[in-house]
Amino acid sequence: MSEITCKCGHVNPEGTELCLSCGRALTTDAEEKKTSDVMRYEGMARRSQTYNGSIIDKVWNFFSSVKVGVWLIVITLSASALGTIFPQVLFISPLEAPEVYYEERYGVAGEIYYILGFHDLYNSWWYLLLIAAIGTSIIIASLDRVIPLYKALKHQRVNRHASFMKRQRIYTEYPLYSSDTFSKIKDGLRNKRYRIREEDGNLLAEKGRFSRWGPYVNHTGLIIFLIGAMLRFVPGMYVDEVMWIREGETMAIPGTDQEYFLKSEGFTVETYDADEDKEVFGATIDRVGAIAKNFQTDAILLKREDGVAGDSSNLVEVEEHPIRVNQPFKFDNFALYQVDFRQGEFRSMSFNLVQKESGDSFGPFEIDLTQPEDEYQLDDDHRVELMGYYPDFSGFENGEPQSPSPVPNNPAFLFKLFSPEHPDGEVAFIAIQQNLEPLGENDYQLSFNGVETRDVSGLTVRKDLTLWILALGGAIFMIGVVQGAYWNHRRVWVKRTEEGGMLVSGHTNKNWFGLRKDLEAAFTNTGLEQPKDQHEQNLNKVSAGGAKEEENRDTTS
Amino acid sequence: MTQLASLSSTLLYVAFVLYLIATAFFAGSIKSKKHTNQTGKNRWATIAITITIIGFVSQLGYFITRWIASGHAPLSNLFEFITFFGMMLIAAFIIIYFIYRAHVLGVFALPIALLIIAYSSMFPRDISPLIPALQSDWLAIHVSTVAAGEAILAISFVAGLIYLLKDVDLAKKGKQTFWLEAVLFSLVIVVGFIAATTTSQITGYESEFSHINTEGNEDVAEYHLPALVIPHQGELVTENRFASPVEMPAIVNASRLNTVIWSIMVGTVLYLLTRLIFRRSISALLQPLVRKVNLNLMDEVGYRSVLIGFPVFTLGGLVFAMIWAQIAWTRFWGWDPKEVWALITWLFYAAFLHLRLSRGWEGNRSAWLAVIGFAIIMFNLVAVNLIIAGLHSYA
Ligand code: HEM
């Protein structure tokens, strides 16, 4: 490694721009750069600015560039916006086929959207790659800077070379140095809570250095967050299941390996009532109609004590708990959410067996539509046998009744009716609004006697063991941003020259207004004018429309 | 309770008028001869900020009384949210004012807040009950923090606008001159919207169209302005009302599009009128107000407000949002359009900070970024709610 020896005798590592000891510019390049650019990392050697030989160097330099980082961010945000033009596939009903949905609704634009894969943009490989690139960039850019910065700030010298002082944005040369003025400035800065270091009549006052670590702290938080988000894909960390549970039903909670069961005691929907609830709501209720007030499943959590999976005989009640929107029911890393419901599902139907001629009626009997029995005995002589049950009857195919699902949306039954007249039974097919006697005219028929309905709750079962990592990342991020944004790193140098004069300069990483105010306070009692902000002066010189000094400043990547 | 609700409306109205008066005083303060246009005491400015603060207190009164009347934080529909955003803008302005004492900020910040509050009152103002998804303390926590963060970020737009009005050389025709005028033009469109909607509210214009919606079902669309475009297979059902023959496809909300067209038309007419009367662009018209502005100070105010606003926005728009989403919707993130646009806003301001800190984008460029940032915020506030409806689409 080639080292650079400064005029002051200090030996600096390769790549250093400002001497670590006295602050002289070490290269002509550094001399020509704007002060704010050199000062950003204290003129320290950074890996990315020093090596560019191997592939590793090139990758390192690529990702450590803020220019690249900003491009990655801008591309990601533009891509994210694309994903909101049409609804993402996860928001369209699962009953719709995406390949026709987009074209049907949005025409050619929709078709292109679908073909390009924008309908599932946030899960696309290239979107995830962008996020990964941002993550990599954050890590490398931070490492590239934080270590040199830490070293530079730790080894700061009090006395700097005059050229260093002159290059600062806030700088003034005073013809006379007096120890009285010096101590007044010192006290003034101390009152502003600067930490003071003094050496042979020279001064370094500094405050808020910790704010320089803000970006690195917040980037650490972001990385922790991203790691947390990746951990979701580790088996066992994340459960996302749906369960539909009927009133009165007990069922195993999916995702819990049959360890936990849930019993629904009932589902309730409430709406606001213009009379009962606050009067002021009346106008809205009149305008938009009924407004939902509450969706609630009253549930009992049960736990299987022992026995094999699927065996629900050894259930012990753990807790009774309502599940409402915004009030999930939490237990053992799991949470149950009220997300959906179906009202008025058929629960049971009841019938009477009627002798057509006499009108004599036997029964009634009730069929539980989720657990129908094989046979219903009505009295000593009359009984009904259930030969076939089609809960979601959709029609006949080759003479066979069809039921595409086990949900009792449209129950149909094939019965055999036994009576003293017909000890071998008569066959009847019964569905809603349908009464068939497939094997010829019967003497008996079933008459519909009533139906009971019940509600079904749609619950989401969630376990997410990554949450605490995400929360940790988020908290660290917040601490970091606040640290970097609400505090600034301000420094003031006072140097006694050999000619008996005094140089004062100041630097801050942001908020120059605040630094100027500090200096104003420190200089009020000295009788001297406060040090000047060169930038401010330059700016006042240029007339309106001419302040283009920020052109071509993109020197530090 | 109904009395309290009407007291609440009155307080909001009072606040509105006070902001209007305060704007005039701020304008007076920068015209005054003794004025250096920067810091320091100035009688006009002292009166102006006092009136602003009284107005703020009155608006706070609106907020609190409405809260009591409805039993929940009034942040649950577009009217309430946007009004609150306007109030936070005033609060952010007051804070920044006391740091920098730049009177010129008031001349621009207050009218923008006025515009926002007027805009909000174009939406239904009834006190509505909360649907189950909104029944959570997180509603108030999340929404108010987002509004505060966005309002502080909006101050950087105000500072940026002032910066550009002075910095851009209007004598030269160029991109900057054009876009600056475009930004101001879009503010006039908002005025157009308010004018058109208010007129229709006063005259009580209403017409209804039966039409076929996206699901292929019959539906009714309500219009409050004469229909320049009609819904898919729309049929006018109200008598004696205007209906153009221009029919929209089913995916377009024709009634809303109609309002947009009216706003642009009225706004354009207003814009052309000012140009005819004053024979100057609006930028040129406003330029005398900023002649004495210290560009460096405006640049700092802009950066500072982003620095203060960014963490607040992150907290409200991402952290609190995720916490609530986890409780209400079972997952902390779900790529809902509103969530995505909050992410976009956040990424944008992150890019702003990086460009500024590491690439030295100060002054003019930073001011333009602040303008774009505000455009993104407004897009999320207005367009995403009205056009891209997701879980967040309030009433
Ligand atoms: C979404 C992603 C990111 C966020 C939210 C973020 C956030 C921040 C914030 C808030 C700051 C402080 C800025 C200021 O105080 O003005 C900062 C600084 C910085 N960021 Fe990022 N950042 C992100 C991504 C990146 C990436 C991809 C890079 C890669 C090049 C990067 C490199 C830096 C650097 C070099 C600094 C300056 C550090 C210093 O000068 O002390 N950041 N970041």
Side-chain angles (χ1 to χ4, degrees):
Chain A
M1 197 196 274
S2 54
E3 290 160 335
I4 312 173
T5 311
C6 176
K7 288 196 188 107
C8 74
H10 188 83
V11 181
N12 298 287
E14 182 185 0
T16 312
E17 292 181 313
L18 298 179
C19 172
L20 294 177
S21 174
C22 70
R24 275 193 190 89
L26 295 175
T27 57
T28 42
D29 193 33
E31 219 157 328
E32 280 162 13
K33 273 191 190 171
K34 283 191 64 93
T35 321
S36 54
D37 291 334
V38 186
M39 283 301 287
R40 189 163 301 130
Y41 301 105
E42 310 290 312
M44 282 293 291
R46 276 161 51 201
R47 191 183 197 289
S48 65
Q49 307 297 302
T50 313
Y51 306 106
N52 194 15
S54 66
I55 293 280
I56 294 179
D57 292 340
K58 292 220 157 73
V59 171
W60 181 275
N61 296 354
F62 178 78
F63 282 113
S64 83
S65 154
V66 173
K67 195 172 181 173
V68 170
V70 170
W71 270 114
L72 289 172
I73 293 176
V74 170
I75 294 170
T76 308
L77 78 84
S78 315
S80 307
L82 275 181
T84 63
I85 296 178
F86 297 135
Q88 289 289 298
V89 72
L90 84 166
F91 291 117
I92 72 172
S93 153
L95 301 175
E96 308 260 8
E99 55 276 19
V100 293
Y101 177 89
Y102 288 94
E103 195 192 341
E104 214 168 62
R105 276 203 176 207
Y106 306 108
V108 184
E111 198 182 354
I112 295 172
Y113 200 75
Y114 177 75
I115 291 170
L116 292 179
F118 291 172
H119 65 295
D120 195 16
L121 190 142
Y122 307 111
N123 290 316
S124 66
W125 60 269
W126 58 271
Y127 192 79
L128 298 180
L129 203 65
L130 273 174
I131 308 258
I134 289 182
T136 315
S137 183
I138 289 174
I139 295 172
I140 293 181
S142 300
L143 287 178
D144 191 58
R145 289 164 173 84
V146 70
I147 299 159
L149 185 66
Y150 176 77
K151 285 190 190 151
L153 291 177
K154 193 170 165 160
H155 299 302
Q156 278 183 95
R157 287 294 182 78
V158 175
N159 190 7
R160 296 297 180 108
H161 189 253
S163 69
F164 174 88
M165 304 282 285
K166 278 181 190 150
R167 298 190 58 185
Q168 299 303 323
R169 181 170 147 183
I170 288 185
Y171 168 74
T172 294
E173 181 172 358
Y174 299 91
L176 263 182
Y177 178 96
S178 85
S179 51
D180 182 44
T181 327
F182 181 85
S183 53
K184 274 183 183 151
I185 297 173
K186 189 171 78 183
D187 291 342
L189 288 168
R190 185 175 284 134
N191 282 340
K192 285 277 163 193
R193 293 209 292 276
Y194 280 75
R195 278 188 298 126
I196 309 284
R197 280 170 63 194
E198 208 181 328
E199 238 173 53
D200 314 326
N202 301 306
L203 176 103
L204 166 58
E206 185 180 13
K207 81 171 175 190
R209 188 198 285 182
F210 80 101
S211 78
R212 292 293 285 275
W213 316 126
Y216 308 104
V217 173
N218 85 44
H219 288 163
T220 308
L222 282 178
I223 296 300
I224 294 175
F225 189 94
L226 288 178
I227 290 173
M230 285 190 317
L231 284 179
R232 159 170 317 184
F233 301 104
V234 173
M237 296 295 268
Y238 188 75
V239 168
D240 177 17
E241 302 275 357
V242 179
M243 72 189 278
W244 287 93
I245 185 167
R246 302 180 168 99
E247 286 176 313
E249 192 180 23
T250 301
M251 65 191 285
I253 300 176
T256 62
D257 293 327
Q258 307 263 340
E259 190 185 346
Y260 287 102
F261 286 72
L262 196 72
K263 176 159 196 259
S264 165
E265 293 278 275
F267 173 78
T268 340
V269 180
E270 283 173 83
T271 52
Y272 285 94
D273 185 321
D275 300 325
E276 252 174 56
D277 291 297
K278 290 196 178 234
E279 205 184 322
V280 286
F281 297 155
T284 314
I285 297 175
D286 287 345
R287 182 165 55 85
V288 301
I291 298 173
K293 183 179 183 179
N294 185 24
F295 302 122
Q296 175 168 334
T297 303
D298 291 306
I300 296 176
L301 179 71
L302 305 151
K303 191 172 182 185
R304 182 162 50 80
E305 282 296 86
D306 49 1
V308 288
D311 169 17
S312 55
S313 53
N314 272 321
L315 297 182
V316 182
E317 189 173 321
V318 183
E319 200 182 342
E320 197 173 334
H321 200 287
I323 308 175
R324 308 175 57 199
V325 177
N326 265 309
Q327 290 170 26
F329 172 16
K330 293 186 186 151
F331 63 92
D332 185 22
N333 287 325
F334 284 92
L336 294 172
Y337 295 83
Q338 176 68 50
V339 288
D340 206 349
F341 62 90
R342 251 193 339 252
Q343 266 180 312
E345 184 187 275
F346 294 134
R347 173 205 191 112
S348 66
M349 283 182 162
S350 69
F351 298 94
N352 280 312
L353 182 65
V354 178
Q355 223 245 344
K356 285 184 188 169
E357 222 175 84
S358 65
D360 287 346
S361 169
F362 307 89
F365 66 97
E366 190 181 83
I367 302 175
D368 182 335
L369 295 174
T370 41
Q371 283 163 318
E373 281 160 37
D374 294 338
E375 193 183 285
Y376 298 86
Q377 190 76 43
L378 305 180
D379 61 16
D380 289 346
D381 316 315
H382 298 86
R383 69 189 168 91
V384 172
E385 219 181 272
L386 183 59
M387 295 162 68
Y389 172 46
Y390 315 96
D392 196 7
F393 176 60
S394 61
F396 293 94
E397 222 168 81
N398 302 325
E400 269 298 305
Q402 300 296 311
S403 177
S405 87
V407 184
N409 291 324
N410 185 26
F413 314 88
L414 190 62
F415 289 114
K416 208 167 207 181
L417 317 173
F418 294 91
S419 53
E421 298 92 315
H422 296 280
D424 294 335
E426 300 173 298
V427 176
F429 179 83
I430 294 193
I432 293 171
Q433 310 277 353
Q434 227 174 353
N435 223 329
L436 299 179
E437 295 175 357
L439 304 179
E441 184 86 358
N442 295 341
D443 289 337
Y444 280 80
Q445 69 175 21
L446 285 175
S447 77
F448 183 67
N449 185 51
V451 59
E452 259 184 61
T453 61
R454 60 179 161 189
D455 299 337
V456 194
S457 313
L459 305 177
T460 288
V461 184
R462 165 86 66 230
K463 176 171 105 172
D464 191 345
L465 296 183
T466 68
L467 287 180
W468 68 272
I469 305 175
L470 300 172
L472 181 72
I476 293 176
F477 176 80
M478 281 312 302
I479 292 171
V481 233
V482 167
Q483 180 179 344
Y486 293 180
W487 280 270
N488 347 105
H489 181 213
R490 300 175 190 170
R491 275 172 293 175
V492 177
W493 294 271
V494 179
K495 182 183 171 75
R496 172 185 204 162
T497 62
E498 278 159 22
E499 297 80 36
M502 178 174 79
L503 309 183
V504 179
S505 57
H507 180 80
T508 180
N509 62 337
K510 51 188 74 151
N511 190 5
W512 293 84
F513 180 84
L515 177 60
R516 283 199 300 273
K517 288 203 104 167
D518 284 353
L519 286 169
E520 188 187 321
F523 274 74
T524 37
N525 292 329
T526 59
L528 297 174
E529 227 178 291
Q530 81 178 80
K532 301 217 168 35
D533 186 337
Q534 324 277 349
H535 193 27
E536 189 91 325
Q537 288 180 318
N538 290 340
L539 209 87
N540 288 339
K541 268 184 239 151
V542 270
S543 57
K548 293 289 182 294
E549 35 72 51
E550 69 281 349
E551 297 285 3
N552 304 322
R553 303 190 51 192
D554 310 348
T555 38
T556 316
S557 43
Chain B
M1 281 299 154
T2 330
Q3 264 174 340
L4 207 55
S6 75
L7 169 66
S8 174
S9 313
T10 313
L11 285 172
L12 181 60
Y13 189 71
V14 168
F16 188 86
V17 174
L18 286 174
Y19 297 151
L20 205 63
I21 299 172
T23 309
F25 275 94
F26 272 119
S29 86
I30 59 170
K31 286 276 177 200
S32 118
K33 290 238 161 50
K34 282 176 280 179
H35 186 56
T36 56
N37 207 15
Q38 276 198 39
T39 53
K41 292 243 178 332
N42 167 308
R43 185 139 29 94
W44 286 82
T46 312
I47 296 173
I49 191 71
T50 311
I51 298 177
T52 310
I53 292 171
I54 299 172
F56 177 74
V57 171
S58 175
Q59 196 174 355
L60 205 60
Y62 139 82
F63 186 75
I64 294 167
T65 45
R66 194 175 168 100
W67 189 326
I68 297 169
S70 69
H72 59 257
L75 294 165
S76 61
N77 59 30
L78 264 188
F79 161 70
E80 293 174 338
F81 178 63
I82 300 178
T83 311
F84 184 78
F85 176 64
M87 180 164 102
M88 286 294 104
L89 190 59
I90 299 282
F93 161 69
I94 293 173
I95 293 168
I96 298 281
Y97 178 83
F98 280 109
I99 300 178
Y100 292 98
R101 295 216 178 247
H103 310 153
V104 67
L105 280 176
V107 184
F108 289 84
L110 290 186
I112 288 174
L114 280 169
L115 218 54
I116 287 169
I117 296 170
Y119 175 79
S120 73
S121 61
M122 301 297 119
F123 295 96
R125 272 168 288 173
D126 307 331
I127 294 184
S128 6
L130 293 181
I131 57 166
L134 296 181
Q135 290 167 15
S136 166
D137 291 339
W138 287 102
L139 169 69
I141 299 170
H142 156 66
V143 176
S144 62
T145 321
V146 174
E150 291 183 341
I152 301 169
L153 292 170
I155 295 292
S156 78
F157 161 70
V158 174
L161 191 63
I162 297 172
Y163 188 100
L164 292 172
L165 277 173
K166 172 160 178 177
D167 182 52
V168 173
D169 186 358
L170 298 177
K172 277 193 246 150
K173 292 247 177 306
K175 265 194 239 146
Q176 296 216 14
T177 314
F178 172 80
W179 283 109
L180 185 57
E181 190 67 8
V183 169
L184 296 169
F185 176 68
S186 62
L187 294 178
V188 180
I189 301 277
V190 179
V191 177
F193 169 75
I194 294 166
T197 313
T198 312
T199 314
S200 95
Q201 280 176 0
I202 291 170
T203 57
Y205 186 94
E206 226 180 60
S207 61
E208 283 187 350
F209 285 83
S210 68
H211 67 106
I212 305 296
N213 66 18
T214 38
E215 314 301 325
N217 301 325
E218 185 117 335
D219 206 348
V220 175
E222 225 176 278
Y223 278 63
H224 294 284
L225 289 161
L228 302 172
V229 290
I230 62 169
H232 184 55
Q233 300 184 10
E235 208 73 60
L236 183 65
V237 290
T238 323
E239 274 172 33
N240 291 328
R241 290 291 186 245
F242 177 78
S244 95
V246 185
E247 203 181 294
M248 290 292 118
I251 51 161
V252 175
N253 184 331
S255 159
R256 270 184 196 146
L257 180 66
N258 190 52
T259 310
V260 171
I261 295 173
W262 270 103
S263 310
I264 294 175
M265 273 176 25
V266 176
T268 311
V269 169
L270 286 175
Y271 178 78
L272 291 176
L273 273 178
T274 40
R275 288 210 71 150
L276 263 170
I277 296 170
F278 297 102
R279 312 218 147 262
R280 262 186 287 173
S281 66
I282 302 203
S283 323
L285 216 55
L286 292 176
Q287 213 166 35
L289 291 173
V290 302
R291 189 154 292 145
K292 288 186 258 170
V293 160
N294 177 344
L295 285 180
N296 206 17
L297 186 71
M298 280 308 121
D299 184 47
E300 281 213 37
V301 170
Y303 183 33
R304 197 79 192 284
S305 38
V306 174
L307 275 177
I308 299 174
F310 184 73
V312 179
F313 177 77
T314 311
L315 193 66
L318 294 166
V319 177
F320 290 162
M322 288 190 204
I323 295 174
W324 189 20
Q326 181 72 29
I327 296 170
W329 293 326
T330 81
R331 79 288 178 286
F332 60 91
W333 193 261
W335 299 109
D336 172 75
K338 196 95 182 173
E339 283 173 347
V340 175
W341 277 93
L343 177 70
I344 292 171
T345 312
W346 182 72
L347 287 173
F348 179 83
Y349 281 101
F352 176 111
L353 289 173
H354 288 92
L355 287 170
R356 172 115 197 172
L357 188 70
S358 295
R359 303 196 56 79
W361 280 34
E362 292 174 14
N364 180 287
R365 290 185 188 188
S366 170
W368 277 113
L369 288 179
V371 170
I372 298 170
F374 185 69
I376 296 177
I377 290 177
M378 283 299 116
F379 184 83
N380 197 8
L381 197 65
V382 179
V384 175
N385 276 305
L386 298 182
I387 304 172
I388 313 173
L391 292 169
H392 277 81
S393 54
Y394 292 125

